[in-house]
Amino acid sequence: MTNSPNRKPDKSKTAMLVFQPSGRRGQVPLGISIVEASRRLGVDIEAPCGEKQVCGKCKIRIEQGSFQKPSIESSCLHAGPWQAGEEKYISPEEKENGYRMGCVATVEGDLLVFVPEAARAGKQVVSKAPRPLDITINPAVKQYYVQLVPPSLEDPAGDFERVCAALEKQYGLQSLCIDLSVLRNLHDVLNAGAWEATITVWMDQEIVHVQPGSGSRIFGLAIDVGTTTIAAYLCDLVSGQVVDTLSMMNPQVKYGEDVVSRISFHMDNPDGLKRMSADLVEGLNSLISQALAREYPLSTANEIDRPESDQVIRIQPEDILDVSIAGNTAMHHILLQLNPEPLGVIPFTPLVNHSLDIKARELGLQINPAAHIFILPNEAGFVGGDNVGVILAEEPHRQNQIQLIIDIGTNGELVLGNKDRLICASCATGPALEGAQVEFGMRAAPGAIERITIDPETHHVDFKVIGRDPWRSYSKPGEMKTKGICGSGILDAVAQLFLAGIVDKSGAFSKHQFSKRFQIHPETGMKSFVVAWAEETSIEKDVVVTQQDVRQIQLAKASIYTGCKLMMRKLGVERVDNVKIAGAFGSHIDCKLALVIGMFPDCAMDRIASVGNAAGDGCRMALLNRDKRVEADWIADNVQYMELTLEENFQWQLMEAIHLPHMTDDFSHLQGIL
Amino acid sequence: MTNSPNRKPDKSKTAMLVFQPSGRRGQVPLGISIVEASRRLGVDIEAPCGEKQVCGKCKIRIEQGSFQKPSIESSCLHAGPWQAGEEKYISPEEKENGYRMGCVATVEGDLLVFVPEAARAGKQVVSKAPRPLDITINPAVKQYYVQLVPPSLEDPAGDFERVCAALEKQYGLQSLCIDLSVLRNLHDVLNAGAWEATITVWMDQEIVHVQPGSGSRIFGLAIDVGTTTIAAYLCDLVSGQVVDTLSMMNPQVKYGEDVVSRISFHMDNPDGLKRMSADLVEGLNSLISQALAREYPLSTANEIDRPESDQVIRIQPEDILDVSIAGNTAMHHILLQLNPEPLGVIPFTPLVNHSLDIKARELGLQINPAAHIFILPNEAGFVGGDNVGVILAEEPHRQNQIQLIIDIGTNGELVLGNKDRLICASCATGPALEGAQVEFGMRAAPGAIERITIDPETHHVDFKVIGRDPWRSYSKPGEMKTKGICGSGILDAVAQLFLAGIVDKSGAFSKHQFSKRFQIHPETGMKSFVVAWAEETSIEKDVVVTQQDVRQIQLAKASIYTGCKLMMRKLGVERVDNVKIAGAFGSHIDCKLALVIGMFPDCAMDRIASVGNAAGDGCRMALLNRDKRVEADWIADNVQYMELTLEENFQWQLMEAIHLPHMTDDFSHLQGIL
């Protein structure tokens, strides 16, 4: 067997891998998949399915070491034998040219691997600017300036007692404790400030920072950890002002696009949970480093007495003294290294609902080590702290009107109700709205089609690509450099295809086609509609929307619509007073078109609002107002979770909602708008 | 300069050192002292003065590599040149034979070093058995058995919420939080126990341990960290029973015998504090390892329902769920890596008085990482948590009678008062009572003379040595193997010399000597009295008590007596109702003889009691009864510290108290007893 290509790989040995076009290279153990190798070398290959071999996105080309090339000596059969499932995604011609699925092909020796543009995990355009919010500034962490009586033989009390006495006398604070790391510096700091100091206290309970004299400004971070995207707001803890907004892809995307893939990665890998958690913490630390590297103008909004000036400041790690984190339950569990497995099996219980306070040093966040991190509570196994944030920001529990909140991220979460009762649900939108499991789907990254119009008369298509302002009509074909279609583009396409009569109410392509853009695949018989011709792309292929893509969007919108309807039934309401669309995706979509395809129950157009990253807003409120933390736990405790799949008629309702638009609502009032 | 013996040592290079007779060897950097090298190689050389070159205890012999031996080639001048101060402790003859001071001689190349018996840091006989105490068992840490309703789709609340609900329903516990490390295991433990579990809660606040089913017994450690000795009581946290008593030398002894030497070591070495702290933690962990290695009978006193049996159990690290630590303020600060420097300079303030709760994992104690460690509060810079422990155990603050408590350890601490008012003070006894700075002084270790009688008529001496039951009278001279005299032996010697008329009231050797044991040094003129002849020793020298030794004891006793008297004056009392002698030394001394030499104010003999390790007892009370922790802080806050040296007439009173016995009291009533 020694020379057979089927020999068991020796995992103690390594091979040299080089990835093109990035040029990243390094030694990796034999036997691992090429996708796994790409992760270890910092090359991100798209693997939305979490290496389940069902998405075909991770198609790569073996340039050297391939067993396909007879010119290379037999010892170079370095990517393992061809596997049964690969022909599903790789054509015979592609196979001939060395294409493999990166999640199937393994490292059996030195390899040169080319990652085609389509398989490269691009950097998503993250647009999560903070909304102006009316927040009462009452942060968990506050600074107190004290002047102390120096110790003497007559009054030889300890330094800590001296500080406590001053804080009680000047500010009424009582029964304080102190972080050990702060206590260790206390004497030197008090001495350095000649017994004048600025003391930072967490929740009127614990001294977490001590600075000589009048101290420096202190900051907090509100972090919204999404499955795909992380957004962080750096806030001045005195003025409440948002000093900076930072964002990045969730580094865990490399382990799979959705939470189920991540949970699977944990279950399949003994150290999977630790690795995903460490990657996330590393990601958060890189966001923090970005903030620390920048210069910020000294704000006059700061209430602490400092002269106005044009000076800029750079923030030090120890100046960041509070963090609030909101994420869905899976992100929450993975971050804290809590076993996420129970989230995926009936009855889908989290390990904990309640909010948590965790020391920064315990999580490994590179801020002030004594700072506490506030983790927003979870509502249920599928509805986490991000939804609590949405409710904190939108406050349906304080209103008389019946509000419907649809938070469309990688998962869909729904909230319905008013001050009397609130219910929430999670709906399986599938990843289509994020651009995954769609033929030419991609994330909202440069090169993605984000807007589409189709002329009902001529079937002429116009479109706009992320990263380029002029629409197709005002550009030369070669300037578009289209790579694929993102979520809002797909939604546009389906609505426009329907409005143009190209697909009918059932979502099927109409039999009466006259457009040359209508194609039928000669082998599979799959119908499709060309949005961008090959010469308008950078991938040298027509970018199309297939019949299956339309079905994916139909399923997603049906899922949301059914969820809303079942929740309305549960709450006993016929109509909602207003609808709020939250989430980054929600702020990109055209609400009218979403209503056209029947994504949510009918509502007057002026009662529909896109509220952007409401989860991040709520997280920021929890950072800046300690009462919101109590409210967050109240919300998690009082919002009633509803498992949609257990509802009577769920399947039937879902099937009915598949239609474009669904059959039960009347959209005549939209005619004038469209 | 390259070949000169005076060249600057290159600290990046190392040399091989071998210590005899232990045979310990290893590479050490060039340029460090031989005492420092001995520490690094785990050989303990006595350095009571903290390498201040003032005690001469660290005298060692260079066997090879010495610059004294011309037969060795010049490159072997390996212990550095002779220094000016060394001749004070090393005679010309010793110098000729290669003797050096270990704190002065440096490593300049390979060396073979002989450590004479007198310089070896012996293992002290630690006798700190627990007294039976009447403690109401109400520990900070308690176990609760719960039966949970497994989660279902109808009741999908989180595991933590499920546990909290059960604890509230069954035991009334509310608003609990949970340690992150415990939360991480929660789901698996609940599953393993089929939703029956034993939950350990700290202070009705935080869940610190979860075990499946009925759980196992839980334990706590009360640790008294003395300057010289560490004593630990392993207690069953349910029954309160002391399961084991463990003790060891404080590993910091190698940095100096008293707290001042340790503080100096910190000031002279940038990493001194960390090293001393790490050594102490390592020492505590070795005590814990000892306990974990032993087998203990399953006690029937345990109230948790388990069958009685002859079975033994071994304790697991995670079963140790609480620790209380009492130490003097310097030990407190060094353990926690708090800068002890302010303790040594006016106005002698600690960094903190208040008690502290610190996670075991933060201190590095190898017990359950989620456990809290309770650090007893400090009364003042020189009176620490050990004295709070003494007061907790003896409860002078609950009594009408005026109580005087004298805690004689490496430092002397005094408490005086009753329920109306308590004052405390620290007195500089000097190390003589611990056997240091005395010509043949040593710790209470095997070979030390601990009891002495002198016949007033014949001046015949009888004595007893630690580690050997028969007194000298019942032994052959060669059987005694005397090495020196420990604290209680010195005290006996001085009292007996006084009672026999060999020294007079002033402490001077009487002019009318007839004993052949009386000697006058031919060179120095120092008078001395032979306690053990050379043939009765293992060091081949007469063991003597010198005039200077008598002076040391006079100073120590005068210091204690003066302190007591000044405190009585401050409190406005003429006489104390009872006297308690605490501390290991206190339990060894003969109270009658202490009274004879005037160590403390006159008191009826039946009102004087030795109470052993009261500090450890109080520490145990704090471990087993949470109310005692509140009481401890009350004590630290309310006992008034008195700086004796600032009192009017302090010096005058001290001089007056030097006499044997002091001049002011009447000891006629003792005549019958002696």
PDB file of all heavy atoms in Angstrom, chain A residues 375-389:
ATOM      1  N   ILE A 375     -23.280  41.070  28.954  1.00  0.00           N
ATOM      2  CA  ILE A 375     -23.771  40.241  27.856  1.00  0.00           C
ATOM      3  C   ILE A 375     -25.299  40.284  27.915  1.00  0.00           C
ATOM      4  O   ILE A 375     -25.896  39.847  28.907  1.00  0.00           O
ATOM      5  CB  ILE A 375     -23.288  38.790  28.003  1.00  0.00           C
ATOM      6  CG1 ILE A 375     -21.779  38.728  28.291  1.00  0.00           C
ATOM      7  CG2 ILE A 375     -23.684  37.970  26.779  1.00  0.00           C
ATOM      8  CD1 ILE A 375     -20.890  38.913  27.106  1.00  0.00           C
ATOM      9  N   LEU A 376     -25.929  40.798  26.865  1.00  0.00           N
ATOM     10  CA  LEU A 376     -27.388  40.902  26.881  1.00  0.00           C
ATOM     11  C   LEU A 376     -28.023  39.517  26.991  1.00  0.00           C
ATOM     12  O   LEU A 376     -27.469  38.528  26.503  1.00  0.00           O
ATOM     13  CB  LEU A 376     -27.887  41.631  25.621  1.00  0.00           C
ATOM     14  CG  LEU A 376     -27.979  43.159  25.765  1.00  0.00           C
ATOM     15  CD1 LEU A 376     -26.605  43.794  25.628  1.00  0.00           C
ATOM     16  CD2 LEU A 376     -28.948  43.762  24.758  1.00  0.00           C
ATOM     17  N   PRO A 377     -29.172  39.439  27.644  1.00  0.00           N
ATOM     18  CA  PRO A 377     -29.806  38.140  27.888  1.00  0.00           C
ATOM     19  C   PRO A 377     -30.421  37.553  26.616  1.00  0.00           C
ATOM     20  O   PRO A 377     -30.660  38.255  25.644  1.00  0.00           O
ATOM     21  CB  PRO A 377     -30.902  38.483  28.903  1.00  0.00           C
ATOM     22  CG  PRO A 377     -31.241  39.905  28.616  1.00  0.00           C
ATOM     23  CD  PRO A 377     -29.952  40.558  28.204  1.00  0.00           C
ATOM     24  N   ASN A 378     -30.670  36.249  26.662  1.00  0.00           N
ATOM     25  CA  ASN A 378     -31.328  35.551  25.563  1.00  0.00           C
ATOM     26  C   ASN A 378     -32.809  35.385  25.847  1.00  0.00           C
ATOM     27  O   ASN A 378     -33.201  35.092  26.977  1.00  0.00           O
ATOM     28  CB  ASN A 378     -30.717  34.156  25.396  1.00  0.00           C
ATOM     29  CG  ASN A 378     -29.249  34.218  25.028  1.00  0.00           C
ATOM     30  OD1 ASN A 378     -28.875  34.936  24.113  1.00  0.00           O
ATOM     31  ND2 ASN A 378     -28.431  33.471  25.753  1.00  0.00           N
ATOM     32  N   GLU A 379     -33.638  35.548  24.799  1.00  0.00           N
ATOM     33  CA  GLU A 379     -35.065  35.292  24.971  1.00  0.00           C
ATOM     34  C   GLU A 379     -35.361  33.800  24.907  1.00  0.00           C
ATOM     35  O   GLU A 379     -36.200  33.273  25.637  1.00  0.00           O
ATOM     36  CB  GLU A 379     -35.861  36.041  23.890  1.00  0.00           C
ATOM     37  CG  GLU A 379     -35.814  37.559  24.071  1.00  0.00           C
ATOM     38  CD  GLU A 379     -36.391  38.293  22.868  1.00  0.00           C
ATOM     39  OE1 GLU A 379     -37.342  37.811  22.241  1.00  0.00           O
ATOM     40  OE2 GLU A 379     -35.869  39.380  22.554  1.00  0.00           O
ATOM     41  N   ALA A 380     -34.664  33.113  23.995  1.00  0.00           N
ATOM     42  CA  ALA A 380     -34.899  31.684  23.808  1.00  0.00           C
ATOM     43  C   ALA A 380     -33.727  31.103  23.033  1.00  0.00           C
ATOM     44  O   ALA A 380     -32.767  31.812  22.708  1.00  0.00           O
ATOM     45  CB  ALA A 380     -36.196  31.468  23.040  1.00  0.00           C
ATOM     46  N   GLY A 381     -33.811  29.801  22.737  1.00  0.00           N
ATOM     47  CA  GLY A 381     -32.733  29.124  22.025  1.00  0.00           C
ATOM     48  C   GLY A 381     -32.458  29.730  20.667  1.00  0.00           C
ATOM     49  O   GLY A 381     -31.316  29.742  20.204  1.00  0.00           O
ATOM     50  N   PHE A 382     -33.498  30.234  20.017  1.00  0.00           N
ATOM     51  CA  PHE A 382     -33.326  30.801  18.684  1.00  0.00           C
ATOM     52  C   PHE A 382     -33.495  32.320  18.642  1.00  0.00           C
ATOM     53  O   PHE A 382     -33.406  32.916  17.579  1.00  0.00           O
ATOM     54  CB  PHE A 382     -34.315  30.180  17.696  1.00  0.00           C
ATOM     55  CG  PHE A 382     -33.935  28.785  17.292  1.00  0.00           C
ATOM     56  CD1 PHE A 382     -34.854  27.749  17.357  1.00  0.00           C
ATOM     57  CD2 PHE A 382     -32.661  28.510  16.833  1.00  0.00           C
ATOM     58  CE1 PHE A 382     -34.493  26.469  16.980  1.00  0.00           C
ATOM     59  CE2 PHE A 382     -32.301  27.234  16.451  1.00  0.00           C
ATOM     60  CZ  PHE A 382     -33.211  26.212  16.536  1.00  0.00           C
ATOM     61  N   VAL A 383     -33.817  32.925  19.761  1.00  0.00           N
ATOM     62  CA  VAL A 383     -33.986  34.375  19.782  1.00  0.00           C
ATOM     63  C   VAL A 383     -33.128  34.918  20.918  1.00  0.00           C
ATOM     64  O   VAL A 383     -33.407  34.679  22.092  1.00  0.00           O
ATOM     65  CB  VAL A 383     -35.466  34.781  19.966  1.00  0.00           C
ATOM     66  CG1 VAL A 383     -35.607  36.289  19.805  1.00  0.00           C
ATOM     67  CG2 VAL A 383     -36.356  34.068  18.966  1.00  0.00           C
ATOM     68  N   GLY A 384     -32.081  35.622  20.548  1.00  0.00           N
ATOM     69  CA  GLY A 384     -31.046  35.964  21.517  1.00  0.00           C
ATOM     70  C   GLY A 384     -31.027  37.408  21.944  1.00  0.00           C
ATOM     71  O   GLY A 384     -32.022  38.142  21.833  1.00  0.00           O
ATOM     72  N   GLY A 385     -29.868  37.824  22.433  1.00  0.00           N
ATOM     73  CA  GLY A 385     -29.681  39.167  22.957  1.00  0.00           C
ATOM     74  C   GLY A 385     -29.790  40.238  21.892  1.00  0.00           C
ATOM     75  O   GLY A 385     -30.099  41.395  22.205  1.00  0.00           O
ATOM     76  N   ASP A 386     -29.562  39.856  20.618  1.00  0.00           N
ATOM     77  CA  ASP A 386     -29.715  40.859  19.565  1.00  0.00           C
ATOM     78  C   ASP A 386     -31.177  41.276  19.452  1.00  0.00           C
ATOM     79  O   ASP A 386     -31.496  42.445  19.259  1.00  0.00           O
ATOM     80  CB  ASP A 386     -29.149  40.362  18.225  1.00  0.00           C
ATOM     81  CG  ASP A 386     -29.617  38.971  17.857  1.00  0.00           C
ATOM     82  OD1 ASP A 386     -30.346  38.337  18.666  1.00  0.00           O
ATOM     83  OD2 ASP A 386     -29.276  38.504  16.753  1.00  0.00           O
ATOM     84  N   ASN A 387     -32.078  40.311  19.618  1.00  0.00           N
ATOM     85  CA  ASN A 387     -33.504  40.646  19.570  1.00  0.00           C
ATOM     86  C   ASN A 387     -33.914  41.453  20.803  1.00  0.00           C
ATOM     87  O   ASN A 387     -34.748  42.354  20.710  1.00  0.00           O
ATOM     88  CB  ASN A 387     -34.349  39.376  19.447  1.00  0.00           C
ATOM     89  CG  ASN A 387     -35.760  39.679  18.973  1.00  0.00           C
ATOM     90  OD1 ASN A 387     -36.708  39.549  19.721  1.00  0.00           O
ATOM     91  ND2 ASN A 387     -35.885  40.146  17.729  1.00  0.00           N
ATOM     92  N   VAL A 388     -33.311  41.145  21.944  1.00  0.00           N
ATOM     93  CA  VAL A 388     -33.563  41.966  23.127  1.00  0.00           C
ATOM     94  C   VAL A 388     -33.155  43.404  22.829  1.00  0.00           C
ATOM     95  O   VAL A 388     -33.867  44.363  23.167  1.00  0.00           O
ATOM     96  CB  VAL A 388     -32.797  41.420  24.352  1.00  0.00           C
ATOM     97  CG1 VAL A 388     -32.897  42.386  25.529  1.00  0.00           C
ATOM     98  CG2 VAL A 388     -33.321  40.047  24.754  1.00  0.00           C
ATOM     99  N   GLY A 389     -32.015  43.550  22.135  1.00  0.00           N
ATOM    100  CA  GLY A 389     -31.550  44.884  21.739  1.00  0.00           C
ATOM    101  C   GLY A 389     -32.557  45.580  20.840  1.00  0.00           C
ATOM    102  O   GLY A 389     -32.848  46.772  21.008  1.00  0.00           O
TER     103      GLY A 389
END
